[in-house]
Amino acid sequence: MWTRARRLTLGLVVLLGAGSTAHAYFLDHDRNFDVRLRAYSQATVAAEDSREKPPDISAGDVVSQRNFYNPEFDANLTKYVRWMSGTPGLSLIGPDEFKFRFAWWGFYDGIFDYANGKWEDALRNHPRARQSESDNVNGESFAFNDENKNVRNILGKRNRINELYIDYTKDRFFFRIGRQTISWGESDTIALLDIQNPFDLTLGAPGFFMDIDEARIPLYTARTTVKLLDNWGWLSSLFADMYVVPGPIENTIPITTPSLFGFPYSSPGRDPQTANLPVGVQNLLHIAIVEQQPKRKWSESRWGARLTGVVAKDYTVSGWFFRTYPEQPTILLAGPPSITNQNIPAVQIDDRGFRTPVCLNADGSPIKAGQVGKTPGGRTCSRAKAVVTELIRRLESVAGISATWFSQPLNGVVRAEAEFFIDEVAFIPHVNQNPQVQVPGGTKTQNSIPKANYLRWTVGYDRFFFFRPLNPSNSILITAQHNMSWNVDSGKNTDFRNLNPKPGKAVAGPAGEQQPDTNWEDQYEFEHFFTFATQSDYLHGKLEPRITMIIDPSGIFGFALNFPYRVTDNLIFAPGFYAIEASRRAGLATFRDRDQFQIRVTYQLN
């Protein structure tokens, strides 16, 4: 077993080694082709013991040691296509600008390889419930034939093409085609309204534990921007923006990281296989938590359109409509009872829900129906039927409007935005997850997915000011924001809830009795929170401390303190501290026992 000191020392060695092997290259004399890089190595150490187990985290545990890399290549190809302007038949489409961009995104987190042995133990022995994904749940998941989520790959290693697109500009028209991101809404600390693109959830809360831009997942998109007019009375610089993410080509949604199983950024809770099934049927039934993937078809396409312009010379105003998937899924427990359903096969699996061709009795003979045996690797195995809980996202429509302006009375920039989310998937425990649908002779109704309409808005304020006692030479930036969400469909007879059960509360009783909806965390009709951030420069711009606070009056508080120090133009050393405190386990407070120290060394070429 490694000591905490040895683990931390290894993390620091990796950190310091990250900044010594990067180089930048300009590939031609005119600098039309250039290569850039942003790479960091980061170690995160728990500052407190976990209050609820799993996860089993102790103060001093290394909970993440991430090595992130983001190389980029840009090419300005304009001069290589100028011949089109003088060619008959092609002059009409000869571009004013023609560019290409490629960027890679990836990380390796060695937590399962060289951190505390408890993470390797969690990987091998938890969960018992199967977690997987499929775009054909009925055809694959009930036969344990869907794609199992490989936790080591999800939390330990990821690679992808982050950007791959061409830019074409001609007169008033601009086109960008390829893998890219689109950001129309506010995303100050927490991306409440900026949801055209999904977000990576491997570090829990995008924008808090992970940079918001780093967490955004690009999609293969066709986008165009058209300048409609320069100046017309009180209106100027009017643009139209449109994009489409073709469903047959792109169906990416966030990977919901393993929950309830004790991994570093999993929500607390017991393994459903052992917590929700009576001991006598745990070898006859096996719980599968399946993330439903969108099918590759045109009806699953995401798209949007926006108008933006300057009104009365001072107000930048935008209005838009788009179709997208929500960041967080809802859940649906499928019925009828698997144990009596003749259409659901009994499959030979081990105790984690993996199909196994060999399962033997103690005498070495193959097991029969109802018997329990061992795999050649020593794991318990049996023939079981799947009890499927689906994680579901469905396309929703969003209409929004925003305005930004400089206010003379407030001496700062004011930002205001509102979006109406139409038919968003929601959660009412006795509607989505009534366990009686799996009890023979239980309720005859089937679970379903309720929908709700949400009005979400934000008002922000940004200002630079001087306070000489705190910083005698540089200004201080303060940004404040109030975020609000109103569930329009909430009422006395419709009790919407968050997906997290309250600490110590069960979601199913003996023999599958439905527990009260109040066992789940409240989702209030009106939810709101404040974000505050302040930042300044010291030591001639080398030190840029930043403080971020998230305050939810319902009982959630988040605090982040960062001290980026620029050692050289290319090397940045950034220690930090993150803390969350809460009286309820919802939203950011899902990770309320993840107080942690963080050390990051970044090497960048820009």
Side-chain angles (χ1 to χ4, degrees), residues 318-348:
S318 297
W320 57 78
F321 181 90
F322 61 87
R323 296 272 288 168
T324 192
Y325 290 101
E327 180 179 323
Q328 297 292 341
T330 191
I331 58 178
L332 177 69
L333 174 60
S338 296
I339 198 167
T340 58
N341 191 336
Q342 299 301 315
N343 294 322
I344 297 178
V347 180
Q348 190 164 280

PDB file of all heavy atoms in Angstrom, residues 318-348:
ATOM      1  N   SER A 318     -29.806  39.866 -28.464  1.00  0.00           N
ATOM      2  CA  SER A 318     -29.921  38.637 -29.248  1.00  0.00           C
ATOM      3  C   SER A 318     -31.219  37.923 -28.905  1.00  0.00           C
ATOM      4  O   SER A 318     -31.716  37.993 -27.775  1.00  0.00           O
ATOM      5  CB  SER A 318     -28.750  37.688 -28.958  1.00  0.00           C
ATOM      6  OG  SER A 318     -27.518  38.253 -29.328  1.00  0.00           O
ATOM      7  N   GLY A 319     -31.762  37.224 -29.895  1.00  0.00           N
ATOM      8  CA  GLY A 319     -32.908  36.354 -29.680  1.00  0.00           C
ATOM      9  C   GLY A 319     -32.701  35.085 -30.477  1.00  0.00           C
ATOM     10  O   GLY A 319     -32.157  35.120 -31.594  1.00  0.00           O
ATOM     11  N   TRP A 320     -33.097  33.916 -29.911  1.00  0.00           N
ATOM     12  CA  TRP A 320     -32.796  32.651 -30.574  1.00  0.00           C
ATOM     13  C   TRP A 320     -33.814  31.571 -30.236  1.00  0.00           C
ATOM     14  O   TRP A 320     -34.602  31.690 -29.292  1.00  0.00           O
ATOM     15  CB  TRP A 320     -31.393  32.170 -30.201  1.00  0.00           C
ATOM     16  CG  TRP A 320     -31.173  31.998 -28.719  1.00  0.00           C
ATOM     17  CD1 TRP A 320     -31.585  30.967 -27.931  1.00  0.00           C
ATOM     18  CD2 TRP A 320     -30.490  32.908 -27.863  1.00  0.00           C
ATOM     19  NE1 TRP A 320     -31.200  31.149 -26.633  1.00  0.00           N
ATOM     20  CE2 TRP A 320     -30.525  32.349 -26.561  1.00  0.00           C
ATOM     21  CE3 TRP A 320     -29.850  34.128 -28.062  1.00  0.00           C
ATOM     22  CZ2 TRP A 320     -29.947  32.982 -25.469  1.00  0.00           C
ATOM     23  CZ3 TRP A 320     -29.276  34.756 -26.969  1.00  0.00           C
ATOM     24  CH2 TRP A 320     -29.318  34.179 -25.697  1.00  0.00           C
ATOM     25  N   PHE A 321     -33.727  30.520 -31.017  1.00  0.00           N
ATOM     26  CA  PHE A 321     -34.498  29.299 -30.776  1.00  0.00           C
ATOM     27  C   PHE A 321     -33.607  28.136 -31.197  1.00  0.00           C
ATOM     28  O   PHE A 321     -32.975  28.180 -32.249  1.00  0.00           O
ATOM     29  CB  PHE A 321     -35.789  29.286 -31.600  1.00  0.00           C
ATOM     30  CG  PHE A 321     -36.628  28.046 -31.372  1.00  0.00           C
ATOM     31  CD1 PHE A 321     -37.592  28.020 -30.387  1.00  0.00           C
ATOM     32  CD2 PHE A 321     -36.442  26.909 -32.151  1.00  0.00           C
ATOM     33  CE1 PHE A 321     -38.372  26.879 -30.165  1.00  0.00           C
ATOM     34  CE2 PHE A 321     -37.200  25.771 -31.944  1.00  0.00           C
ATOM     35  CZ  PHE A 321     -38.165  25.750 -30.944  1.00  0.00           C
ATOM     36  N   PHE A 322     -33.543  27.093 -30.345  1.00  0.00           N
ATOM     37  CA  PHE A 322     -32.737  25.936 -30.724  1.00  0.00           C
ATOM     38  C   PHE A 322     -33.301  24.675 -30.103  1.00  0.00           C
ATOM     39  O   PHE A 322     -34.129  24.713 -29.187  1.00  0.00           O
ATOM     40  CB  PHE A 322     -31.263  26.122 -30.334  1.00  0.00           C
ATOM     41  CG  PHE A 322     -30.989  26.290 -28.863  1.00  0.00           C
ATOM     42  CD1 PHE A 322     -30.790  25.197 -28.033  1.00  0.00           C
ATOM     43  CD2 PHE A 322     -30.902  27.560 -28.304  1.00  0.00           C
ATOM     44  CE1 PHE A 322     -30.524  25.347 -26.692  1.00  0.00           C
ATOM     45  CE2 PHE A 322     -30.631  27.729 -26.950  1.00  0.00           C
ATOM     46  CZ  PHE A 322     -30.441  26.610 -26.134  1.00  0.00           C
ATOM     47  N   ARG A 323     -32.842  23.547 -30.632  1.00  0.00           N
ATOM     48  CA  ARG A 323     -33.208  22.217 -30.139  1.00  0.00           C
ATOM     49  C   ARG A 323     -31.946  21.540 -29.616  1.00  0.00           C
ATOM     50  O   ARG A 323     -30.906  21.536 -30.282  1.00  0.00           O
ATOM     51  CB  ARG A 323     -33.814  21.373 -31.257  1.00  0.00           C
ATOM     52  CG  ARG A 323     -35.127  21.899 -31.817  1.00  0.00           C
ATOM     53  CD  ARG A 323     -36.311  21.375 -31.030  1.00  0.00           C
ATOM     54  NE  ARG A 323     -36.561  19.960 -31.287  1.00  0.00           N
ATOM     55  CZ  ARG A 323     -37.383  19.206 -30.558  1.00  0.00           C
ATOM     56  NH1 ARG A 323     -38.021  19.712 -29.515  1.00  0.00           N
ATOM     57  NH2 ARG A 323     -37.566  17.940 -30.868  1.00  0.00           N
ATOM     58  N   THR A 324     -32.041  20.966 -28.425  1.00  0.00           N
ATOM     59  CA  THR A 324     -30.862  20.353 -27.823  1.00  0.00           C
ATOM     60  C   THR A 324     -31.283  19.280 -26.839  1.00  0.00           C
ATOM     61  O   THR A 324     -32.474  19.088 -26.569  1.00  0.00           O
ATOM     62  CB  THR A 324     -29.997  21.422 -27.124  1.00  0.00           C
ATOM     63  OG1 THR A 324     -28.735  20.856 -26.786  1.00  0.00           O
ATOM     64  CG2 THR A 324     -30.673  21.920 -25.852  1.00  0.00           C
ATOM     65  N   TYR A 325     -30.285  18.588 -26.273  1.00  0.00           N
ATOM     66  CA  TYR A 325     -30.532  17.609 -25.215  1.00  0.00           C
ATOM     67  C   TYR A 325     -30.170  18.235 -23.871  1.00  0.00           C
ATOM     68  O   TYR A 325     -29.203  18.994 -23.778  1.00  0.00           O
ATOM     69  CB  TYR A 325     -29.676  16.350 -25.421  1.00  0.00           C
ATOM     70  CG  TYR A 325     -30.083  15.504 -26.590  1.00  0.00           C
ATOM     71  CD1 TYR A 325     -29.370  15.562 -27.786  1.00  0.00           C
ATOM     72  CD2 TYR A 325     -31.172  14.655 -26.506  1.00  0.00           C
ATOM     73  CE1 TYR A 325     -29.743  14.784 -28.867  1.00  0.00           C
ATOM     74  CE2 TYR A 325     -31.551  13.867 -27.589  1.00  0.00           C
ATOM     75  CZ  TYR A 325     -30.826  13.940 -28.767  1.00  0.00           C
ATOM     76  OH  TYR A 325     -31.205  13.173 -29.834  1.00  0.00           O
ATOM     77  N   PRO A 326     -30.912  17.925 -22.815  1.00  0.00           N
ATOM     78  CA  PRO A 326     -30.539  18.448 -21.496  1.00  0.00           C
ATOM     79  C   PRO A 326     -29.225  17.853 -21.028  1.00  0.00           C
ATOM     80  O   PRO A 326     -28.851  16.743 -21.417  1.00  0.00           O
ATOM     81  CB  PRO A 326     -31.711  18.010 -20.601  1.00  0.00           C
ATOM     82  CG  PRO A 326     -32.304  16.817 -21.291  1.00  0.00           C
ATOM     83  CD  PRO A 326     -32.109  17.069 -22.764  1.00  0.00           C
ATOM     84  N   GLU A 327     -28.519  18.587 -20.179  1.00  0.00           N
ATOM     85  CA  GLU A 327     -27.227  18.113 -19.684  1.00  0.00           C
ATOM     86  C   GLU A 327     -27.397  16.883 -18.806  1.00  0.00           C
ATOM     87  O   GLU A 327     -26.622  15.934 -18.890  1.00  0.00           O
ATOM     88  CB  GLU A 327     -26.541  19.231 -18.896  1.00  0.00           C
ATOM     89  CG  GLU A 327     -25.184  18.838 -18.346  1.00  0.00           C
ATOM     90  CD  GLU A 327     -24.533  19.970 -17.585  1.00  0.00           C
ATOM     91  OE1 GLU A 327     -24.690  21.135 -18.018  1.00  0.00           O
ATOM     92  OE2 GLU A 327     -23.891  19.710 -16.568  1.00  0.00           O
ATOM     93  N   GLN A 328     -28.409  16.890 -17.938  1.00  0.00           N
ATOM     94  CA  GLN A 328     -28.631  15.785 -17.024  1.00  0.00           C
ATOM     95  C   GLN A 328     -29.813  14.939 -17.498  1.00  0.00           C
ATOM     96  O   GLN A 328     -30.811  15.471 -17.951  1.00  0.00           O
ATOM     97  CB  GLN A 328     -28.906  16.296 -15.605  1.00  0.00           C
ATOM     98  CG  GLN A 328     -27.758  17.062 -14.984  1.00  0.00           C
ATOM     99  CD  GLN A 328     -26.556  16.173 -14.694  1.00  0.00           C
ATOM    100  OE1 GLN A 328     -26.672  14.958 -14.615  1.00  0.00           O
ATOM    101  NE2 GLN A 328     -25.393  16.791 -14.520  1.00  0.00           N
ATOM    102  N   PRO A 329     -29.711  13.605 -17.388  1.00  0.00           N
ATOM    103  CA  PRO A 329     -30.827  12.747 -17.801  1.00  0.00           C
ATOM    104  C   PRO A 329     -31.856  12.614 -16.686  1.00  0.00           C
ATOM    105  O   PRO A 329     -31.622  13.034 -15.550  1.00  0.00           O
ATOM    106  CB  PRO A 329     -30.133  11.408 -18.054  1.00  0.00           C
ATOM    107  CG  PRO A 329     -29.013  11.390 -17.038  1.00  0.00           C
ATOM    108  CD  PRO A 329     -28.553  12.824 -16.928  1.00  0.00           C
ATOM    109  N   THR A 330     -32.987  12.039 -17.018  1.00  0.00           N
ATOM    110  CA  THR A 330     -33.918  11.574 -16.001  1.00  0.00           C
ATOM    111  C   THR A 330     -33.889  10.055 -16.013  1.00  0.00           C
ATOM    112  O   THR A 330     -33.204   9.455 -16.850  1.00  0.00           O
ATOM    113  CB  THR A 330     -35.337  12.105 -16.241  1.00  0.00           C
ATOM    114  OG1 THR A 330     -36.145  11.837 -15.081  1.00  0.00           O
ATOM    115  CG2 THR A 330     -35.979  11.449 -17.461  1.00  0.00           C
ATOM    116  N   ILE A 331     -34.596   9.416 -15.076  1.00  0.00           N
ATOM    117  CA  ILE A 331     -34.536   7.960 -14.980  1.00  0.00           C
ATOM    118  C   ILE A 331     -35.914   7.360 -15.181  1.00  0.00           C
ATOM    119  O   ILE A 331     -36.949   7.987 -14.914  1.00  0.00           O
ATOM    120  CB  ILE A 331     -33.948   7.502 -13.626  1.00  0.00           C
ATOM    121  CG1 ILE A 331     -34.782   8.051 -12.457  1.00  0.00           C
ATOM    122  CG2 ILE A 331     -32.521   7.945 -13.492  1.00  0.00           C
ATOM    123  CD1 ILE A 331     -34.273   7.596 -11.108  1.00  0.00           C
ATOM    124  N   LEU A 332     -35.930   6.125 -15.673  1.00  0.00           N
ATOM    125  CA  LEU A 332     -37.169   5.381 -15.910  1.00  0.00           C
ATOM    126  C   LEU A 332     -36.921   3.916 -15.578  1.00  0.00           C
ATOM    127  O   LEU A 332     -36.063   3.271 -16.191  1.00  0.00           O
ATOM    128  CB  LEU A 332     -37.622   5.525 -17.365  1.00  0.00           C
ATOM    129  CG  LEU A 332     -38.871   4.730 -17.753  1.00  0.00           C
ATOM    130  CD1 LEU A 332     -40.105   5.324 -17.074  1.00  0.00           C
ATOM    131  CD2 LEU A 332     -39.051   4.703 -19.260  1.00  0.00           C
ATOM    132  N   LEU A 333     -37.651   3.393 -14.596  1.00  0.00           N
ATOM    133  CA  LEU A 333     -37.584   1.973 -14.263  1.00  0.00           C
ATOM    134  C   LEU A 333     -38.594   1.233 -15.122  1.00  0.00           C
ATOM    135  O   LEU A 333     -39.794   1.474 -15.043  1.00  0.00           O
ATOM    136  CB  LEU A 333     -37.888   1.749 -12.777  1.00  0.00           C
ATOM    137  CG  LEU A 333     -37.983   0.289 -12.318  1.00  0.00           C
ATOM    138  CD1 LEU A 333     -36.672  -0.448 -12.563  1.00  0.00           C
ATOM    139  CD2 LEU A 333     -38.387   0.214 -10.853  1.00  0.00           C
ATOM    140  N   ALA A 334     -38.080   0.309 -15.957  1.00  0.00           N
ATOM    141  CA  ALA A 334     -38.944  -0.383 -16.913  1.00  0.00           C
ATOM    142  C   ALA A 334     -39.720  -1.511 -16.236  1.00  0.00           C
ATOM    143  O   ALA A 334     -39.278  -2.111 -15.269  1.00  0.00           O
ATOM    144  CB  ALA A 334     -38.106  -0.934 -18.068  1.00  0.00           C
ATOM    145  N   GLY A 335     -40.874  -1.814 -16.745  1.00  0.00           N
ATOM    146  CA  GLY A 335     -41.697  -2.953 -16.354  1.00  0.00           C
ATOM    147  C   GLY A 335     -42.151  -3.647 -17.631  1.00  0.00           C
ATOM    148  O   GLY A 335     -41.787  -3.227 -18.740  1.00  0.00           O
ATOM    149  N   PRO A 336     -42.917  -4.750 -17.569  1.00  0.00           N
ATOM    150  CA  PRO A 336     -43.473  -5.404 -16.380  1.00  0.00           C
ATOM    151  C   PRO A 336     -42.412  -6.235 -15.654  1.00  0.00           C
ATOM    152  O   PRO A 336     -41.247  -6.232 -16.077  1.00  0.00           O
ATOM    153  CB  PRO A 336     -44.570  -6.280 -16.973  1.00  0.00           C
ATOM    154  CG  PRO A 336     -44.068  -6.611 -18.345  1.00  0.00           C
ATOM    155  CD  PRO A 336     -43.351  -5.383 -18.814  1.00  0.00           C
ATOM    156  N   PRO A 337     -42.793  -6.966 -14.569  1.00  0.00           N
ATOM    157  CA  PRO A 337     -41.805  -7.697 -13.767  1.00  0.00           C
ATOM    158  C   PRO A 337     -40.935  -8.633 -14.605  1.00  0.00           C
ATOM    159  O   PRO A 337     -41.441  -9.509 -15.309  1.00  0.00           O
ATOM    160  CB  PRO A 337     -42.670  -8.475 -12.776  1.00  0.00           C
ATOM    161  CG  PRO A 337     -43.933  -7.693 -12.670  1.00  0.00           C
ATOM    162  CD  PRO A 337     -44.162  -7.111 -14.035  1.00  0.00           C
ATOM    163  N   SER A 338     -39.625  -8.449 -14.519  1.00  0.00           N
ATOM    164  CA  SER A 338     -38.706  -9.270 -15.312  1.00  0.00           C
ATOM    165  C   SER A 338     -38.766 -10.737 -14.905  1.00  0.00           C
ATOM    166  O   SER A 338     -38.644 -11.640 -15.744  1.00  0.00           O
ATOM    167  CB  SER A 338     -37.272  -8.749 -15.153  1.00  0.00           C
ATOM    168  OG  SER A 338     -37.133  -7.449 -15.672  1.00  0.00           O
ATOM    169  N   ILE A 339     -38.959 -10.998 -13.618  1.00  0.00           N
ATOM    170  CA  ILE A 339     -38.848 -12.365 -13.121  1.00  0.00           C
ATOM    171  C   ILE A 339     -39.940 -13.270 -13.679  1.00  0.00           C
ATOM    172  O   ILE A 339     -39.753 -14.476 -13.804  1.00  0.00           O
ATOM    173  CB  ILE A 339     -38.858 -12.373 -11.568  1.00  0.00           C
ATOM    174  CG1 ILE A 339     -38.296 -13.696 -11.053  1.00  0.00           C
ATOM    175  CG2 ILE A 339     -40.259 -12.077 -11.027  1.00  0.00           C
ATOM    176  CD1 ILE A 339     -37.974 -13.673  -9.580  1.00  0.00           C
ATOM    177  N   THR A 340     -41.093 -12.689 -14.069  1.00  0.00           N
ATOM    178  CA  THR A 340     -42.187 -13.491 -14.622  1.00  0.00           C
ATOM    179  C   THR A 340     -42.393 -13.264 -16.111  1.00  0.00           C
ATOM    180  O   THR A 340     -43.251 -13.910 -16.715  1.00  0.00           O
ATOM    181  CB  THR A 340     -43.497 -13.178 -13.885  1.00  0.00           C
ATOM    182  OG1 THR A 340     -43.788 -11.769 -13.997  1.00  0.00           O
ATOM    183  CG2 THR A 340     -43.398 -13.555 -12.413  1.00  0.00           C
ATOM    184  N   ASN A 341     -41.635 -12.335 -16.700  1.00  0.00           N
ATOM    185  CA  ASN A 341     -41.820 -12.004 -18.113  1.00  0.00           C
ATOM    186  C   ASN A 341     -41.094 -13.036 -18.980  1.00  0.00           C
ATOM    187  O   ASN A 341     -39.862 -13.125 -18.960  1.00  0.00           O
ATOM    188  CB  ASN A 341     -41.279 -10.602 -18.385  1.00  0.00           C
ATOM    189  CG  ASN A 341     -41.678 -10.075 -19.752  1.00  0.00           C
ATOM    190  OD1 ASN A 341     -41.966 -10.836 -20.665  1.00  0.00           O
ATOM    191  ND2 ASN A 341     -41.699  -8.752 -19.876  1.00  0.00           N
ATOM    192  N   GLN A 342     -41.865 -13.823 -19.728  1.00  0.00           N
ATOM    193  CA  GLN A 342     -41.291 -14.881 -20.554  1.00  0.00           C
ATOM    194  C   GLN A 342     -40.517 -14.329 -21.750  1.00  0.00           C
ATOM    195  O   GLN A 342     -39.737 -15.059 -22.367  1.00  0.00           O
ATOM    196  CB  GLN A 342     -42.406 -15.811 -21.044  1.00  0.00           C
ATOM    197  CG  GLN A 342     -43.167 -16.498 -19.923  1.00  0.00           C
ATOM    198  CD  GLN A 342     -42.242 -17.338 -19.047  1.00  0.00           C
ATOM    199  OE1 GLN A 342     -41.391 -18.083 -19.554  1.00  0.00           O
ATOM    200  NE2 GLN A 342     -42.392 -17.210 -17.729  1.00  0.00           N
ATOM    201  N   ASN A 343     -40.721 -13.061 -22.080  1.00  0.00           N
ATOM    202  CA  ASN A 343     -40.020 -12.468 -23.221  1.00  0.00           C
ATOM    203  C   ASN A 343     -38.618 -11.981 -22.850  1.00  0.00           C
ATOM    204  O   ASN A 343     -37.843 -11.591 -23.721  1.00  0.00           O
ATOM    205  CB  ASN A 343     -40.828 -11.294 -23.782  1.00  0.00           C
ATOM    206  CG  ASN A 343     -42.145 -11.747 -24.383  1.00  0.00           C
ATOM    207  OD1 ASN A 343     -42.208 -12.801 -25.018  1.00  0.00           O
ATOM    208  ND2 ASN A 343     -43.198 -10.972 -24.171  1.00  0.00           N
ATOM    209  N   ILE A 344     -38.300 -11.977 -21.565  1.00  0.00           N
ATOM    210  CA  ILE A 344     -36.970 -11.561 -21.117  1.00  0.00           C
ATOM    211  C   ILE A 344     -36.163 -12.814 -20.830  1.00  0.00           C
ATOM    212  O   ILE A 344     -36.537 -13.630 -19.984  1.00  0.00           O
ATOM    213  CB  ILE A 344     -37.063 -10.676 -19.862  1.00  0.00           C
ATOM    214  CG1 ILE A 344     -37.826  -9.391 -20.193  1.00  0.00           C
ATOM    215  CG2 ILE A 344     -35.676 -10.338 -19.330  1.00  0.00           C
ATOM    216  CD1 ILE A 344     -38.022  -8.475 -19.000  1.00  0.00           C
ATOM    217  N   PRO A 345     -35.025 -13.002 -21.511  1.00  0.00           N
ATOM    218  CA  PRO A 345     -34.258 -14.238 -21.334  1.00  0.00           C
ATOM    219  C   PRO A 345     -33.455 -14.224 -20.035  1.00  0.00           C
ATOM    220  O   PRO A 345     -33.044 -13.175 -19.543  1.00  0.00           O
ATOM    221  CB  PRO A 345     -33.327 -14.237 -22.548  1.00  0.00           C
ATOM    222  CG  PRO A 345     -33.113 -12.786 -22.848  1.00  0.00           C
ATOM    223  CD  PRO A 345     -34.411 -12.101 -22.519  1.00  0.00           C
ATOM    224  N   ALA A 346     -33.228 -15.409 -19.490  1.00  0.00           N
ATOM    225  CA  ALA A 346     -32.274 -15.573 -18.389  1.00  0.00           C
ATOM    226  C   ALA A 346     -30.898 -15.794 -19.007  1.00  0.00           C
ATOM    227  O   ALA A 346     -30.702 -16.718 -19.804  1.00  0.00           O
ATOM    228  CB  ALA A 346     -32.668 -16.745 -17.498  1.00  0.00           C
ATOM    229  N   VAL A 347     -29.941 -14.934 -18.678  1.00  0.00           N
ATOM    230  CA  VAL A 347     -28.622 -14.933 -19.310  1.00  0.00           C
ATOM    231  C   VAL A 347     -27.582 -15.322 -18.270  1.00  0.00           C
ATOM    232  O   VAL A 347     -27.652 -14.907 -17.115  1.00  0.00           O
ATOM    233  CB  VAL A 347     -28.304 -13.551 -19.911  1.00  0.00           C
ATOM    234  CG1 VAL A 347     -26.936 -13.547 -20.578  1.00  0.00           C
ATOM    235  CG2 VAL A 347     -29.394 -13.140 -20.906  1.00  0.00           C
ATOM    236  N   GLN A 348     -26.593 -16.090 -18.678  1.00  0.00           N
ATOM    237  CA  GLN A 348     -25.527 -16.509 -17.771  1.00  0.00           C
ATOM    238  C   GLN A 348     -24.540 -15.360 -17.615  1.00  0.00           C
ATOM    239  O   GLN A 348     -23.843 -14.988 -18.560  1.00  0.00           O
ATOM    240  CB  GLN A 348     -24.831 -17.749 -18.319  1.00  0.00           C
ATOM    241  CG  GLN A 348     -23.867 -18.407 -17.339  1.00  0.00           C
ATOM    242  CD  GLN A 348     -23.491 -19.809 -17.753  1.00  0.00           C
ATOM    243  OE1 GLN A 348     -24.240 -20.761 -17.540  1.00  0.00           O
ATOM    244  NE2 GLN A 348     -22.341 -19.944 -18.383  1.00  0.00           N
TER     245      GLN A 348
END
